[in-house]
Amino acid sequence: MKRTGAQIVWEVLTREGVDTVFGHPGGAILPVYDAMPAYPVRHILARHEQAAGHMADGYARVSGRVGVVTVTSGPAATNLVTALATAMMDSIPILAITGQVPTTLLGNDAFQETDVTGVTQAVTKHNYLVTDIRDLARVLREALYIAQSGRPGPVLVDICKDVLNDETDYEFPEKLDLPGYRPFAGVDMQAIEAAAELINQAQRPVIIAGHGVQMAHAENELRQLAEKAHIPVAMTLLGLGDIPETHPLSLGMCGMHGEARANKAIQASDVLIGIGMRFDDRVTGDLDAFAPHAKVIHIELDPAEINKNVPADVGILADAREALQALLPKVQPAEHREWMAQIEEWNRESQERDILNAEVDELIPPMIMRELWHVTQGDVIMVTDVGQHQMWEAQYFLHERPRQLLTSGGLGTMGYALPAAIGAHFAAPDETVWAVVGDGGFQMTIQELGTVMQEKVPVKIAIINNGFLGMVRQWQELFYEKNYAGTPILSPDYVKLAEAYGIPARLVTSQEDVSAVLKEAHEHPGPFLIEFQVKEEVNVYPMVEPGEAIDNLIRRRIVQGPSGLQPAW
Amino acid sequence: MTHDPSTFHKYTVVAWLEDKPGVLSRVLSLFRRRNFNIESLAVGHSERPGVSRLTFTVLGDDRMVEQAIKQLDKLVNVLRVEDITHKPAVRREMALIRVKVNAQTRPEVMQLVDIYRAHIIDVSMDSLVVQAVGNEERLNSLIDLLSNFPITEMVRTGPVAMTRGAAGKNGNGKHARRMAL
Ligand SMILES: Cc1ncc(C[n+]2csc(CCOP(=O)(O)OP(=O)(O)O)c2C)c(N)n1
Ligand SMILES: [Mg+2]
């Protein structure tokens, strides 16, 4: 079978089940676009390559399959870097295909030439430069395999334009030969025995469940372990939904803006079980003061994460599901009444400080998040941007299931939400996708309203407009004496803007309207945008100052309200 | 857990790499990015075509070196990594040292070269080039002595190493992943 390089790209991708790609064309990738219509793939045109990358990311997080993005050389490839870095930090499988100048011009500073493999080395799991058509099919197949196996991540394939135009005899490469790539580890039964022994003796056990649980589809096993051995479960930001947040054993999110009960339980624990998580600094705070009494069991697929930040007493190098399946029969049923009572006590304290218990006339973001949960009955895909609204969503929307919350956890990439929500829609067209964004982050990828319009993406957009780069303002308030330098931010008239794109929109300024407008948006069949003009200087609490122990929490103050003591904002 | 530089010592690690474009750049970029304190690095062919062998020494503590090894092992083109710091091994390094000499000092230098079983590989009126092979300490002590003459130019390869005994492994071992756990 004679095929051009461009045809080989589609032959391999479609053979591997790819039917949706996100991208933006240009000179060096043009042969790929030229060959595309002959293949059963849908192309979503993004307005910016960063957004195309986030779309592929959102698609991958929801579908569990590799998200594919195709862009051209030079500026297009450099535009993609942020999306690759975002995916790298959160272990998201992406295949990025970039066009490159012809091999004859490589290294010549040719028009739109950038050393793309050089530039993306640190933000990809692996990358390739293809200069010979005979390598192309094999490289694409390897790239897809590497992206989704082991600890997933983005893989980039940079293809010279002449390679795309060349012709060769094509055959699908059946065999993979990657002698240096060993993504699978068998479960070490000795380690499982050691872990079971620690768990069976524990008085104050805590699980911290992360993103790895979702990627391994280990949520049922996690729940079984928690219920059988009566272990409360704290979750990382990307782990939210590992166990339903309405479950009695859920402690909610832990870490910098975690629930007080979760952080305190971790600190007081005698056995701490990290599952599919990497003890990121936003989770641990001061490492030297982290979980000082705990024996640590760490179940993790990436060997480099075990002992990286927190030394493990028992390290289990395995897929979370396989490890938990091996562990479950060895764990004895238990009940930890005193421990749960202590946690309940911490929880009661927190309730008193919960901003939802404040009497307040103005529009407060946490209230919107909780209302969104009520209105949607929690049955939606939530995509959040980065900042205060992201933390409020994490705290006040109760996530029920894995892959329900998409957010840039590791890199904290503003501008992520709208494009990722678009990608999420294409992975799950029957589900309702909500993008919750700040006025700052939304303006970073606002151009993707064009993609929403063109592709008729029925995404619901909730803009939390607080007139500030709110999270940075909060740091300025707490640590820089309210020197609000560079953080006040103006917004366009979002309702008019949406209308210009043909997207229905509403402005909400008062509490009374929240529920009805959310309902209207939720029930509307197409895209819908809501701008919430909220009270400006509200802070996210609790908060752990960077570098502090995670139980050293800055709490919401209690102040005199209209009818007695109440939480401040 | 934080790291205390006063407890750092030197580790010798061997890695087998696929001999493909860009592989060494990946390794170096990883060292830089992860802030690993690499003291020396030597790379060349191994006994297997297509596989190169890298020996490097790194300064740190056990956990830092465990990290360096695991991160290196994750690179797709890295076949195997082995920490040979505490294994019986031979370590050798080569140095070329140009020493400034005159009629009086030349015999002195030649005598030293003899004692250290080094060689003189180039001679001119006012200088000698010494080729020395040995372990690091031995080279250090020779260089220390020669610097009195003085040394005008020098190059060292950085140590290469090989474990003792017959059972050499040839770089496609599947068990290396577990070594540090
Ligand atoms: C691309 C990028 N630039 C800068 C930052 C730093 N940053 C973190 S949160 C934040 C403010 C976000 O403001 P907004 O989108 O309005 O959300 P809010 O915090 O007000 O809810 C900034 C600037 C970032 N995370 N990402
Ligand atoms: Mg804002």
Side-chain angles (χ1 to χ4, degrees):
Chain A
M1 244 187 342
K2 283 269 184 228
R3 288 287 181 268
T4 64
Q7 288 172 324
I8 288 173
V9 168
W10 296 117
E11 291 284 347
V12 175
L13 292 189
T14 50
R15 166 84 183 248
E16 293 273 53
V18 173
D19 57 12
T20 308
V21 300
F22 304 89
H24 201 104
I29 195 75
L30 208 39
V32 169
Y33 276 80
D34 188 53
M36 183 169 67
Y39 291 86
V41 281
R42 173 168 198 185
H43 177 265
I44 312 300
L45 175 69
R47 298 304 186 264
H48 187 291
E49 290 85 357
Q50 177 195 349
H54 291 324
M55 288 176 196
D57 173 312
Y59 181 88
R61 289 191 205 224
V62 172
S63 68
R65 299 180 9 218
V66 180
V68 180
V69 51
T70 51
V71 307
T72 195
S73 65
T78 55
N79 271 351
L80 194 59
V81 169
T82 302
L84 294 173
T86 304
M88 184 70 180
M89 286 294 258
D90 288 350
S91 313
I92 306 304
I94 285 183
L95 171 62
I97 297 176
T98 50
Q100 181 56 280
V101 302
T103 47
T104 47
L105 293 179
L106 269 184
N108 262 328
D109 304 314
F111 176 65
Q112 293 198 328
E113 180 185 4
T114 301
D115 170 15
V116 174
T117 41
V119 166
T120 60
Q121 203 170 78
V123 294
T124 50
K125 182 172 171 185
H126 193 55
N127 64 20
Y128 294 90
L129 170 64
V130 184
T131 56
D132 186 333
I133 191 169
R134 287 167 300 179
D135 298 331
L136 183 58
R138 174 186 55 82
V139 163
L140 287 164
R141 178 121 205 261
E142 285 179 11
L144 281 164
Y145 173 68
I146 292 170
Q148 62 194 313
S149 53
R151 178 175 178 180
V155 178
L156 180 140
V157 180
D158 195 28
I159 312 171
C160 287
K161 188 170 183 181
D162 49 341
V163 171
L164 292 171
N165 289 327
D166 279 353
E167 241 189 17
T168 189
D169 278 321
Y170 167 73
E171 218 181 299
F172 183 75
E174 295 290 348
K175 271 216 177 104
L176 284 168
D177 181 28
L178 289 163
Y181 181 64
R182 300 169 300 271
F184 301 109
V187 179
D188 175 352
M189 284 316 287
Q190 238 172 321
I192 293 285
E193 295 283 355
E197 204 174 304
L198 283 179
I199 292 170
N200 290 336
Q201 283 165 12
Q203 301 295 313
R204 299 182 308 281
V206 173
I207 291 172
I208 306 182
H211 193 197
V213 171
Q214 312 198 359
M215 288 194 289
H217 299 271
E219 59 268 18
N220 289 333
E221 288 77 5
L222 169 70
R223 189 176 169 154
Q224 284 165 31
L225 174 66
E227 289 174 354
K228 185 173 182 187
H230 206 219
I231 309 176
V233 182
M235 287 166 276
T236 66
L237 175 61
L238 292 189
L240 287 173
D242 281 355
I243 192 168
E245 287 191 74
T246 48
H247 192 287
L249 287 169
S250 165
L251 297 174
M253 184 170 70
C254 60
M256 179 175 274
H257 291 294
E259 304 276 351
R261 62 176 186 219
N263 286 6
K264 289 185 175 184
I266 289 167
Q267 290 301 82
S269 65
D270 62 351
V271 172
L272 185 62
I273 310 152
I275 309 177
M277 51 81 67
R278 58 189 175 90
F279 293 107
D280 174 78
D281 57 277
R282 285 293 190 264
V283 166
T284 62
D286 180 3
L287 277 174
D288 291 327
F290 179 69
H293 318 292
K295 292 262 188 238
V296 174
I297 300 168
H298 194 179
I299 301 175
E300 166 60 46
L301 187 58
D302 179 351
E305 293 299 345
I306 298 180
N307 285 339
K308 185 175 90 177
N309 296 331
V310 172
D313 294 281
V314 179
I316 301 176
L317 176 59
D319 168 88
R321 184 151 178 225
E322 286 173 25
L324 290 177
Q325 280 172 347
L327 185 59
L328 267 168
K330 315 256 173 205
V331 167
Q332 280 150 19
E335 218 187 330
H336 300 291
R337 278 191 197 200
E338 262 175 61
W339 180 222
M340 293 310 295
Q342 168 67 71
I343 289 169
E344 192 40 49
E345 179 56 34
W346 287 325
N347 194 31
R348 241 193 321 277
E349 278 170 41
S350 297
Q351 292 311 312
E352 289 164 16
R353 294 174 188 270
D354 189 332
I355 194 167
L356 293 188
N357 295 328
E359 287 178 75
V360 49
D361 297 330
E362 288 145 301
L363 198 49
I364 299 288
M367 190 201 121
I368 300 169
M369 305 302 167
R370 183 53 59 83
E371 200 51 37
L372 189 52
W373 178 69
H374 283 302
V375 165
T376 62
Q377 300 181 325
D379 188 19
V380 285
I381 293 173
M382 297 296 290
V383 188
T384 58
D385 216 79
V386 172
Q388 292 185 308
H389 64 279
Q390 177 190 33
M391 292 299 116
W392 283 316
E393 192 282 341
Q395 294 174 335
Y396 288 95
F397 191 98
L398 302 180
H399 308 86
E400 283 291 316
R401 55 183 164 93
R403 291 170 295 284
Q404 180 175 25
L405 168 61
L406 280 54
T407 197
S408 168
L411 198 67
T413 308
M414 282 170 74
Y416 173 81
L418 178 58
I422 294 170
H425 163 72
F426 287 101
D430 297 333
E431 299 204 43
T432 310
V433 181
W434 275 84
V436 174
V437 298
D439 44 341
F442 188 54
Q443 293 189 70
M444 283 199 179
T445 47
I446 196 167
Q447 76 283 349
E448 298 309 319
L449 288 174
T451 309
V452 171
M453 169 183 69
Q454 183 165 348
E455 298 291 339
K456 303 187 177 59
V457 185
V459 61
K460 320 297 175 190
I461 304 163
I463 306 170
I464 307 302
N465 183 356
N466 54 8
F468 277 100
L469 300 173
M471 186 56 92
V472 183
R473 184 208 57 74
Q474 175 169 341
W475 284 45
Q476 288 172 328
E477 176 183 333
L478 296 175
F479 312 126
Y480 294 88
E481 287 145 4
K482 286 203 182 190
N483 179 14
Y484 292 163
T487 43
I489 181 169
L490 288 184
S491 282
D493 182 331
Y494 290 117
V495 173
K496 271 195 191 151
L497 185 79
E499 278 164 4
Y501 282 100
I503 299 169
R506 295 267 182 279
L507 172 66
V508 175
T509 54
S510 74
Q511 277 190 32
E512 299 86 75
D513 301 335
V514 171
S515 183
V517 176
L518 283 175
K519 222 174 257 147
E520 181 186 357
H522 193 59
E523 281 158 14
H524 183 78
F528 202 101
L529 180 147
I530 312 170
E531 173 186 355
F532 293 97
Q533 284 181 1
V534 299
K535 184 170 170 59
E536 290 190 346
E537 296 180 45
V538 184
N539 287 344
V540 181
Y541 291 118
M543 176 174 188
V544 180
E545 216 177 307
E548 285 298 319
I550 55 167
D551 53 351
N552 185 5
L553 296 157
I554 308 175
R555 306 296 294 267
R556 197 173 288 288
R557 285 176 307 122
I558 303 280
V559 295
Q560 189 64 46
S563 49
L565 290 177
Q566 66 164 30
W569 38 83
Chain B
M1 217 168 92
T2 40
H3 301 279
D4 172 10
S6 70
T7 66
F8 286 4
H9 58 124
K10 202 186 288 180
Y11 296 76
T12 307
V13 182
V14 178
W16 286 261
L17 320 175
E18 283 187 89
D19 187 6
K20 288 186 175 167
V23 176
L24 198 56
S25 140
R26 278 176 211 283
V27 170
L28 297 181
S29 136
L30 182 126
F31 287 153
R32 176 189 50 74
R33 189 161 88 236
R34 299 260 173 203
N35 212 7
F36 296 135
N37 199 344
I38 302 300
E39 287 235 312
S40 75
L41 189 146
V43 62
H45 294 300
S46 73
E47 76 285 359
R48 272 177 59 197
V51 176
S52 34
R53 179 169 171 143
L54 171 77
T55 309
F56 64 94
T57 55
V58 52
L59 201 66
D61 59 30
D62 281 353
R63 277 186 57 228
M64 289 164 75
V65 174
E66 180 185 336
Q67 257 300 296
I69 290 171
K70 285 172 163 180
Q71 293 293 355
L72 201 56
D73 198 38
K74 276 204 315 188
L75 294 182
V76 170
N77 302 121
V78 172
L79 298 168
R80 186 167 155 248
V81 191
E82 191 179 345
D83 178 2
I84 62 166
T85 311
H86 303 296
K87 294 193 176 156
V90 282
R91 294 175 177 75
R92 290 291 179 274
E93 178 177 5
M94 185 173 85
L96 298 180
I97 309 154
R98 191 190 306 279
V99 187
K100 196 169 167 187
V101 289
N102 55 33
Q104 283 112 52
T105 58
R106 180 170 301 144
E108 274 183 66
V109 170
M110 290 172 69
Q111 206 178 1
L112 276 174
V113 166
D114 231 29
I115 294 169
Y116 277 82
R117 275 179 276 145
H119 299 277
I120 289 167
I121 57 170
D122 189 51
V123 183
S124 73
M125 281 308 289
D126 56 358
S127 75
L128 294 173
V129 175
V130 177
Q131 168 196 304
V133 174
N135 66 27
E136 233 184 327
E137 295 76 54
R138 195 178 169 84
L139 289 191
N140 286 347
S141 98
L142 174 62
I143 289 162
D144 209 32
L145 290 166
L146 292 178
S147 62
N148 295 316
F149 290 94
I151 294 171
T152 58
E153 192 181 351
M154 182 175 80
V155 55
R156 293 176 71 158
T157 59
V160 293
M162 195 175 273
T163 49
R164 291 181 189 274
K169 283 200 188 134
N170 60 3
N172 64 353
K174 298 282 171 202
H175 313 292
R177 173 166 291 273
R178 304 189 29 138
M179 97 201 89
L181 285 180

